[in-house]
Amino acid sequence: MKTPFRILAALLPVFIAGLFIQSPSQAHGQASAPASPGVAHKSAPWTFAVSGDSRNCGDVVMPGIAAGVKQKGASFYWHLGDFRAIYTFDEDLLHQPENIAKPLNISSYLDHAWDDFIESQILPFSPVPVFLGIGNHDTIPPKTREQYDIQFADWLDSPALRAQRLHDDPRDRKIRTYYHWIEDGVDFISLDNATDDQFDAAQTRWLQKVLQADSADPEIHTIVAGMHEALPESISSNHSMDQSTQGTESGRRVYQSLLRAQNDAHKRVYVLASHSHYFMDGIFNTDYWRANGGVLAGWIVGTAGAVRYALPPNAKDAHAAETNVYGFLVGTVQPDGEISFAFQRLSESDIPAPVTERYTPQFVHWCFAENSAAH
């Protein structure tokens, strides 16, 4: 009869060999697809936060938003694009003490703009996860999508996004400016319509696959589509995808695809945008969409620091609309996937003391009182 020691000795080589057995995908250098991330449903409501357009005064406003997002206990913050002005110097950068002592030139501004966005506007959210969308100012020359991909690769290839991408396609290791992730049965889809050539054929095909999978999956109850510019034919059509033929045509098709997910697949669908620097709820309550399929729930929240814009002439058709405000949208997700949205306004007193000390109370007040084209 073998002793216990001899039995263990006999089994040890088998155990070690088992550690090195590869799956077929691993044997060909591919990672095995993870289990579908984020589908299990929570039993209690939870929240997330969204806003966009943080150029001009973002270094002042965004730390205040970060503090508010943390106070709300949000699971993540989603920035819908336009991090820096790029075509000119942002006022907050000009008022940094080091740039007052040694004024920026074009070269030093372009070298510093995105690094400063990360340091001054994104790091204050830690440890809350941040998702980044791309805006039109993020592609103003000499900035390009390729530079954007490199600068923000840590966010575009975060563990959550990488897991989702590999779940969708185990061979897909390419980061993109558009992506999605599933959390608690909600599919969050971040789209790229930063330039007039979007949505292009590749992004549209990708979106159709995502929406088809969502429509067929009983575990997905809700779709939240976020982008920089509002889809066409909104109340904000004077400053949206309607400004180009490609944007109008492709944007209408995307809207109809989302509408089918709502009406045919019975998913809850919500659409978020920024680009216009004001807050608006009910952006698709227009004659066009009432006559062409139906009205999707939609919001504009371009209120993270950019110069505020006047409301469009037909803003009265929205459920709510206001300008000369900063703040963020809070989405509260119920266990059944229904989401309620509430706009959280920011006041001067919400700006953290170290930020006010760095930029001076006078400049913080300027951001709140004078950073506006809507007087």
Side-chain angles (χ1 to χ4, degrees):
M1 181 176 178
K2 294 183 179 179
T3 66
F5 176 80
R6 288 179 178 176
I7 293 173
L8 289 173
L11 291 175
L12 186 61
V14 177
F15 173 74
I16 294 174
L19 294 177
F20 294 93
I21 294 175
Q22 296 177 309
S23 69
S25 61
Q26 291 171 326
H28 290 84
Q30 302 162 11
S32 297
S36 182
V39 171
H41 300 292
K42 299 174 184 176
S43 58
W46 58 280
T47 62
F48 63 93
V50 186
S51 60
D53 294 272
S54 59
R55 57 186 177 93
N56 305 115
C57 281
D59 286 5
V60 168
V61 175
M62 285 285 281
I65 290 178
V69 167
K70 291 178 181 179
Q71 190 274 330
K72 291 291 182 183
S75 293
F76 62 84
Y77 170 74
W78 192 359
H79 193 303
L80 298 179
D82 275 10
F83 306 152
R84 303 274 56 172
I86 302 303
Y87 77 100
T88 190
F89 300 127
D90 299 89
E91 290 85 348
D92 51 11
L93 286 175
L94 293 175
H95 283 80
Q96 290 179 348
E98 59 270 31
N99 294 330
I100 294 174
K102 183 181 180 181
L104 291 165
N105 57 38
I106 293 174
S107 177
S108 60
Y109 167 75
L110 291 172
D111 286 345
H112 183 56
W114 279 352
D115 289 337
D116 174 80
F117 165 74
I118 293 171
E119 181 177 349
S120 300
Q121 300 187 32
I122 297 303
L123 293 186
F125 284 89
S126 182
V128 177
V130 173
F131 296 90
L132 298 179
I134 185 171
N136 60 303
H137 281 261
D138 307 316
T139 63
I140 288 178
K143 298 298 186 183
T144 65
R145 275 189 179 80
E146 290 73 23
Q147 291 180 19
Y148 182 98
D149 287 347
I150 294 169
Q151 179 81 50
F152 302 109
D154 287 349
W155 289 268
L156 298 175
D157 196 34
S158 67
L161 298 186
R162 188 184 316 120
Q164 185 65 59
R165 195 174 65 243
L166 293 174
H167 175 265
D168 294 344
D169 180 356
R171 295 179 176 83
D172 187 3
R173 298 188 175 277
K174 181 180 178 181
I175 64 173
R176 299 179 182 85
T177 51
Y178 52 91
Y179 54 82
H180 80 120
W181 77 100
I182 296 171
E183 188 163 340
D184 191 36
V186 181
D187 195 355
F188 294 93
I189 304 175
S190 189
L191 298 174
D192 174 357
N193 59 4
T195 52
D196 288 346
D197 60 340
Q198 300 299 322
F199 302 110
D200 65 9
Q203 184 174 185
T204 301
R205 284 194 301 271
W206 171 86
L207 177 61
Q208 292 305 318
K209 286 184 178 180
V210 170
L211 292 178
Q212 287 169 7
D214 286 347
S215 296
D217 189 345
E219 295 297 322
I220 303 298
H221 298 319
T222 308
I223 296 167
V224 182
M227 63 210 74
H228 186 64
E229 298 187 7
L231 293 173
E233 312 296 348
S234 75
I235 294 173
S236 185
S237 61
N238 65 330
H239 192 64
S240 66
M241 291 187 78
D242 300 80
Q243 271 57 72
S244 73
T245 300
Q246 172 69 9
T248 300
E249 294 178 353
S250 66
R252 285 175 179 170
R253 290 194 296 270
V254 165
Y255 187 102
Q256 293 287 357
S257 295
L258 292 168
L259 199 62
R260 284 192 295 274
Q262 175 182 273
N263 295 345
D264 298 343
H266 309 294
K267 308 297 180 179
R268 302 180 189 273
V269 176
Y270 306 92
V271 186
L272 311 175
S274 56
H275 191 50
S276 295
H277 304 162
Y278 45 71
F279 166 70
M280 185 176 290
D281 173 5
I283 65 174
F284 299 116
N285 185 32
T286 62
D287 291 340
Y288 181 90
W289 286 120
R290 282 193 295 269
N292 287 274
V295 174
L296 288 172
W299 289 259
I300 286 174
V301 59
T303 54
V307 54
R308 278 77 58 89
Y309 291 165
L311 295 172
N314 53 342
K316 59 179 174 49
D317 294 333
H319 305 317
E322 54 185 312
T323 188
N324 289 331
V325 292
Y326 297 126
F328 57 99
L329 197 62
V330 175
T332 301
V333 186
Q334 299 298 328
D336 65 356
E338 182 179 6
I339 304 178
S340 59
F341 288 92
F343 182 64
Q344 302 297 312
R345 294 168 191 80
L346 209 65
S347 65
E348 259 181 86
S349 61
D350 294 320
I351 303 306
V355 175
T356 300
E357 181 179 353
R358 174 168 167 74
Y359 287 93
T360 75
Q362 292 78 16
F363 179 66
V364 171
H365 180 71
W366 182 91
C367 286
F368 277 83
E370 302 297 331
N371 185 31
S372 174
H375 290 303

